[in-house]
Amino acid sequence: GAGVSQSPRYKVAKRGQDVALRCDPISGHVSLFWYQQALGQGPEFLTYFQNEAQLDKSGLPSDRFFAERPEGSVSTLKIQRTQQEDSAVYLCASSLAQDQPQHFGDGTRLSIL
Amino acid sequence: AQSVTQLGSHVSVSEGALVLLRCNYSSSVPPYLFWYVQYPNQGLQLLLKYTTGATLVKGINGFEAEFKKSETSFHLTKPSAHMSDAAEYFCAGAGNNRKLIWGLGTSLAVNP
């Protein structure tokens, strides 16, 4: 596609529910990144994929967070047993290579009630 | 440890005035440096990047930034602000591992 696409744009869930956030990167982009952005803050790195390999997951805040990219294109960020502190905008970015500029999607705004 | 610091969380300028958004980095290796802009309810859009070579980098929408190694700075400028420039601006840097480290952002307001 023309850009990075994320879905849904908005997600409201009750505390304790599981959620899944989808990212469609730009076609041909090897690198894919997930970030968490709290209100009024900069993006915080969560995890990084090179093709289907998850090379860095050091930013995932707990074992409730899980990301996958099984075929090296679409990626899903899953949050289990959501908590209120998980409320944030989740941004996905892709790039041709790790050291190339990242192209961002519009994000998924997650609200946990 | 690498870090990126943006001085001033809020900057307000008049339309037509100079825009100056400050960014300083600390890195033990020559960095890659980026400026991104974020409009409300949107993702981040790359304005410009410095990797190697010319230290004055020109980006989109009339913005430019100069890499000054002696000052460890990468300030963003635009000669004449436009109302449409009102947004959140983020400076980011990457060292050898190429993981981006982000500043906290500067909110730019442009007054008529």
Side-chain angles (χ1 to χ4, degrees), chain B residues 30-75:
Chain B
Y32 286 12
L33 293 163
F34 306 84
W35 275 100
Y36 282 83
V37 61
Q38 187 175 33
Y39 298 100
N41 297 317
Q42 293 187 23
L44 293 99
Q45 180 182 6
L46 180 69
L47 278 177
L48 48 80
K49 64 175 180 177
Y50 168 78
T51 52
T52 59
T55 56
L56 181 62
V57 181
K58 295 187 183 298
I60 62 171
N61 301 341
F63 285 93
E64 62 182 37
E66 186 171 9
F67 171 63
K68 291 187 177 180
K69 186 176 180 180
S70 61
E71 299 177 7
T72 63
S73 69
F74 191 58
H75 301 331

Side-chain angles (χ1 to χ4, degrees), chain B residues 8 10-11 19-20 22 27 29 35 38-40 43 47 51 53 58 66 82-83 101 106 108-109:
Chain B
H10 298 277
V11 170
V19 176
L20 171 61
R22 300 177 187 274
S27 174
V29 298
W35 275 100
Q38 187 175 33
Y39 298 100
L47 278 177
T51 52
K58 295 187 183 298
E66 186 171 9
H82 192 272
M83 297 295 289
I101 306 298
T106 298
L108 175 66

Side-chain angles (χ1 to χ4, degrees), chain B residues 12-16 83 109-112:
Chain B
S12 182
V13 300
S14 298
E15 191 174 18
M83 297 295 289
V110 181
N111 306 311

